[in-house]
Amino acid sequence: MTLKIPFDNSYARLPDAFYARQAPVPVRAPQLIAFNADLARLLDIAPGDVHELAETFAGNALPAGAEPLAQLYSGHQFGNYNPQLGDGRAVLLGETVGTDGVRRDIQLKGSGPTLFSRQGDGRAWLGPVLREYVVSEAMHALGIQTTRALAAVETGEIVLREGPMPGAVLTRVARSHLRVGTFQVFAARGQIDSLRRLTEYAIARHYPQAEGPMGLLRAVRDAQAQLIASWMSVGFIHGVMNTDNCSVAGETIDYGPCAFLDSYHPNTVYSSIDRAGRYAYSNQPDIAVWNVAQLATALIQQMEDKEAAVEEATEIVHAMPDLLQQNWLARFQAKIGLTTTRDGDQELISDLLVRMAQNQADFTNTFRALGTDKARDQFTDPLAFDEWAVGWQARLSHEEAPTEVMQAANPAFIPRNHRVEQMIEAAVQGDYSPFHRLNTVLAQPFSDQPENADLTRPPLESEVVQATFCGT
Ligand code: AMP
Ligand code: MG
């Protein structure tokens, strides 16, 4: 083996209660689809040849130093507590400390059944693997905190979903896979020693300045408030903001039925399993507060003085909506070219968004076109934009370099849902060129790339994706 991963596995040194040791289950005929060489360098991985990469990231060959395990967690799914989830189709191979000094998990997803698989087959099919690869790397290029994709491998096996589908394994990299649900499982079971141990671990790994459980709560609140504001600013809808998909490190995690807005409407929902719209675009800030409140409830269980803890935790959680609002405002101010704050900014932005919703304006293209004569063309009634622009121009007279600010805040390229679907359809037919093209273009989302202008186009009526399934 020339492939070398400098493992240092802190999670595997925690007590047995935190996980079940589990090797990935080998697959029939691994074929490498993609390997993220830039990310590998950051992780200090010495890559091997294509054959080795395929064998390793399919789970057929265990790299030296790996200590594979499936992590235990629980969580609220669509508001209902599920007492035991856990990695049902993933194993953590271990951790590396990157060239930037950051410790990261390396996890195989789709690597076979574990103790936590329940009714599931432990596998993933190609579609969600490629979706997560493309969208998580695009989010990273957009400057949004996210897990990343190190590799994708076809397994040469069939996975049964809506029909027979090609199987695949994704190698996911994360600052950690600690979730709100990781705390919930020990709190719900009254395993207070484990809860304390986990709290210490999370603080040491992610927030060394945080003091005690309430310090951790404050830090996670701040990270989530930043994260959700960043999602809102690019029109990202996660789709399944369950507490088991809410990262303690503040990264976007678990790309299932996620998608970006095309035409702007605050109530947009993409996931076909989210019938009530719990995880609609505009609900995401409220849900993030709800998730942090669940973390608070779990963390409190370890406090000696419960009454005082409840009071402090309540104060911490109640401050989150304002924090979210401040972060949201700062991001949307930049999107319309503002670096200073004046009375009326919030109303100016909201007025634009209302007009966009009424005029089916494309979210990404409208903001990208601000300051050009193309912005008004995004509106079914361009006068709706012109009216708004009068007040905006007046406000801009107090700004120095609004064009530069907007260019840096408004991407030209996002992974549009219809392009992601087309890419998956092609890959299932064996054509990976759309997958590679999306990765290349989306790596530079803020540069215009006129030769790739077709990827900025909203879907034609015939291209609109009718349902984004959770069938992962
Ligand atoms: P997710 O929707 O990916 O966040 O997964 C929710 C829970 O279901 C987690 O505990 C997963 O490990 C589990 N799960 C999802 N798909 C499968 C599968 N194909 N086999 C086993 N467990 C699964
Ligand atoms: Mg999940």
Side-chain angles (χ1 to χ4, degrees), residues 369-385:
L370 285 181
T372 75
D373 54 10
K374 291 208 193 80
R376 66 193 304 278
D377 299 344
Q378 305 296 322
F379 291 68
T380 47
D381 174 12
L383 293 175
F385 176 79

Side-chain angles (χ1 to χ4, degrees), residues 67-356:
E67 295 172 271
L69 56 85
Q71 290 178 315
L72 171 68
Y73 55 86
S74 65
H76 280 88
Q77 298 180 303
F78 292 89
N80 304 306
Y81 187 66
N82 190 328
Q84 198 201 284
L85 295 165
D87 291 331
R89 50 151 164 194
V91 292
L92 177 66
L93 290 181
E95 303 146 33
T96 69
V97 177
T99 55
D100 58 355
V102 175
R103 175 180 295 276
R104 292 184 183 83
D105 284 2
I106 302 178
Q107 189 205 59
L108 302 185
K109 188 171 172 184
S111 53
T114 74
L115 193 62
F116 310 120
S117 294
R118 297 171 292 158
Q119 309 305 319
D121 59 5
R123 294 296 182 189
W125 76 273
L126 186 60
V129 165
L130 298 183
R131 175 184 291 275
E132 177 157 350
Y133 196 112
V134 167
V135 180
S136 67
E137 286 301 302
M139 291 284 269
H140 172 72
L142 288 165
I144 294 175
Q145 291 295 314
T146 177
T147 64
R148 298 197 58 191
L150 179 63
V153 180
E154 268 198 83
T155 61
E157 295 179 358
I158 293 295
V159 174
L160 286 177
R161 292 295 181 263
E162 283 104 83
M165 302 294 194
V169 177
L170 178 79
T171 304
R172 176 160 75 180
V173 171
R175 279 178 182 250
S176 83
H177 285 83
L178 297 179
R179 309 141 189 274
V180 168
T182 320
F183 289 82
Q184 287 182 287
V185 72
F186 298 119
R189 293 176 175 184
Q191 296 175 347
I192 302 306
D193 286 347
S194 294
L195 182 62
R196 289 213 169 96
R197 190 72 188 266
L198 181 65
T199 303
E200 284 161 17
Y201 179 86
I203 291 172
R205 184 159 175 183
H206 295 304
Y207 306 107
Q209 288 87 351
E211 276 179 43
M214 293 301 112
L216 175 63
L217 179 63
R218 208 172 272 119
V220 175
R221 173 199 67 185
D222 292 353
Q224 283 289 328
Q226 277 292 351
L227 179 67
I228 302 321
S230 71
W231 289 358
M232 302 304 281
S233 76
V234 295
F236 178 74
I237 304 173
H238 181 282
V240 200
M241 289 178 69
N242 294 339
T243 58
D244 57 304
N245 295 338
C246 181
S247 151
V248 167
E251 290 183 330
T252 314
I253 190 169
D254 262 4
Y255 292 83
C258 60
F260 286 71
L261 292 172
D262 291 302
S263 66
Y264 173 73
H265 198 288
N267 300 342
T268 308
V269 182
Y270 285 111
S271 168
S272 56
I273 56 170
D274 188 7
R275 296 226 163 71
R278 178 180 169 91
Y279 299 139
Y281 172 75
S282 61
N283 261 4
Q284 297 184 124
D286 287 349
I287 293 293
V289 176
W290 195 88
N291 286 348
V292 169
Q294 305 316 308
L295 177 62
T297 304
L299 286 170
I300 286 168
Q301 309 307 315
Q302 67 191 295
M303 308 297 279
E304 302 290 351
D305 183 348
K306 293 259 182 336
E307 218 171 297
V310 168
E311 200 172 310
E312 190 178 0
T314 304
E315 192 186 302
I316 292 168
V317 175
H318 281 185
M320 191 171 169
D322 275 349
L323 265 177
L324 272 158
Q325 177 58 28
Q326 285 162 26
N327 295 339
W328 181 92
L329 183 60
R331 291 198 178 254
F332 276 81
Q333 281 173 316
K335 289 180 79 66
I336 64 167
L338 311 182
T339 53
T340 60
T341 296
R342 293 189 160 235
D343 282 349
D345 284 354
Q346 157 92 49
E347 290 73 16
L348 187 65
I349 296 161
S350 297
D351 184 27
L352 174 61
L353 290 171
V354 168
R355 289 165 189 268
M356 286 168 63

